[in-house]
């Protein structure tokens, strides 16, 4: 069993193991063995910090997008601001989770990169929608990331435990891909990060392209109105 799962998922798997034990050996008291592939840190044996880390991943991107749309003008400045915010947030969140709460192991710099990539992909996607659609795009992006991406991310349990297709859909959104990437860097030495990195890079690229499209649309010159200049009448002199 993946020990890096949240305690709720561990409880579910332990319950399944108990049920299998009863089905295979009723009354024998022989339990199906449950083994952690990677145990959770001693400072956080229930995985509460990793589960709580899902919220900063999505909220960091939302906060960056809202602040940049209100305080910064120009798509280029906003993209640079989103990158700076993501790097700063990645350093801070990874430090809190790893050194203060003791919820993460592995390389601090890899964990920082996972958090930063998630935050910048989220913020740029929302900034791109706002640049193209205005406040409607800002609301659409925030609703997608918070109301759809967060519950379907599977970070608090596991995407495989979500119903049917919802877990797979969640892994195609920045929050789900970011949570999986952070778990890979923190507990599995970065193994299996390709899918998450590709998803986040795709959202980041899409956000930049949408920002560019919105900027080009605003800079498009309006058609010059046709004006006629009346020539002053001249009086012939004899």
């Amino acid at each position: 069993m993946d020990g890096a799962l949240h305690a709720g998922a561990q409880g579910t798997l332990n319950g399944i193991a108990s049920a299998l034990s009863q089905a295979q050996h009723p009354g024998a008291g022989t339990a199906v063995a449950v083994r952690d592939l990677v145990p959770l840190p001693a400072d956080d044996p229930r995985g509460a910090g990793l589960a709580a880390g899902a919220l900063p991943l999505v909220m960091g991107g939302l906060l960056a997008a809202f602040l940049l749309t209100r305080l910064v003008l120009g798509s280029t400045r906003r993209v640079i601001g989103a990158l700076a915010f993501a790097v700063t947030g990645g350093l801070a969140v990874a430090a809190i989770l790893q050194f203060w709460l003791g919820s993460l192991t592995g390389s601090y710099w890899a964990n920082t990169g996972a958090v930063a990539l998630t935050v910048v992909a989220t913020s740029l996607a929302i900034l791109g929608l706002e640049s193209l659609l205005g406040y409607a795009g800002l609301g659409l992006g925030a609703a997608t990331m918070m109301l759809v991406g967060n519950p379907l991310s599977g970070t608090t349990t596991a995407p495989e435990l979500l119903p049917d297709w919802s877990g797979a859909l969640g892994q195609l959104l920045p929050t789900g891909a970011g949570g999986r990437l952070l778990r890979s860097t923190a507990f599995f030495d970065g193994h299996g990060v390709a899918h998450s990195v590709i998803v986040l890079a795709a959202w980041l690229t899409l956000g930049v392209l949408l920002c560019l499209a919105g900027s080009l649309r605003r800079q498009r010159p309006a058609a010059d109105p046709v004006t006629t200049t009346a020539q002053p009448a001249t009086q012939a002199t004899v």
Side-chain angles (χ1 to χ4, degrees):
M1 181 177 66
D2 177 1
L5 293 177
H6 184 250
Q10 288 185 332
T12 301
L13 293 178
N14 286 330
I16 294 174
S18 299
L20 289 174
S21 299
Q22 292 297 324
Q24 294 176 4
H25 307 284
T30 303
V32 173
V34 178
R35 180 174 61 89
D36 287 339
L37 296 179
V38 179
L40 287 164
D43 292 335
D44 188 14
R46 297 182 61 83
L50 179 62
L55 190 59
L57 292 180
V58 62
M59 290 302 297
L62 290 175
L63 179 62
F66 280 119
L67 290 177
L68 290 170
T69 53
R70 295 294 300 272
L71 302 177
V72 178
L73 297 177
S75 296
T76 302
R77 293 186 181 93
R78 289 180 178 180
V79 171
I80 295 173
L83 290 170
F85 190 98
V87 171
T88 305
L91 291 168
V93 171
I96 292 172
L97 290 176
Q98 187 158 353
F99 302 129
W100 184 11
L101 300 179
S103 300
L104 302 180
T105 60
S107 169
Y108 166 70
W109 298 110
N111 296 334
T112 295
V115 176
L117 183 57
T118 305
V119 171
V120 74
T122 302
S123 60
L124 284 179
I126 297 174
L127 285 172
L129 289 172
E130 189 278 335
S131 179
L132 196 63
L133 303 176
Y135 286 113
L138 188 65
L140 176 62
T144 300
M145 302 302 175
M146 191 68 185
L147 302 180
V148 179
N150 194 45
L152 297 185
S153 67
T155 305
T156 56
T157 55
E160 293 80 8
L161 298 180
L162 295 175
D164 297 330
W165 48 267
S166 58
L169 174 62
Q171 297 306 299
L172 296 177
L173 296 173
T175 310
R180 195 180 194 95
L181 177 60
L182 181 59
R183 188 163 55 195
S184 297
T185 58
F187 299 102
F188 298 100
D189 297 326
H191 294 294
V193 301
H195 177 270
S196 299
V197 170
I198 290 172
V199 169
L200 292 172
W203 280 100
L204 189 156
T205 304
L206 176 63
V208 172
L209 292 177
L210 290 177
C211 287
L212 179 61
S215 178
L216 291 176
R217 189 180 68 173
R218 287 192 298 272
Q219 293 176 2
R220 184 181 303 166
D224 293 333
V226 179
T227 58
T228 57
T229 303
Q231 298 295 330
T234 58
Q235 183 177 6
T237 58
V238 178

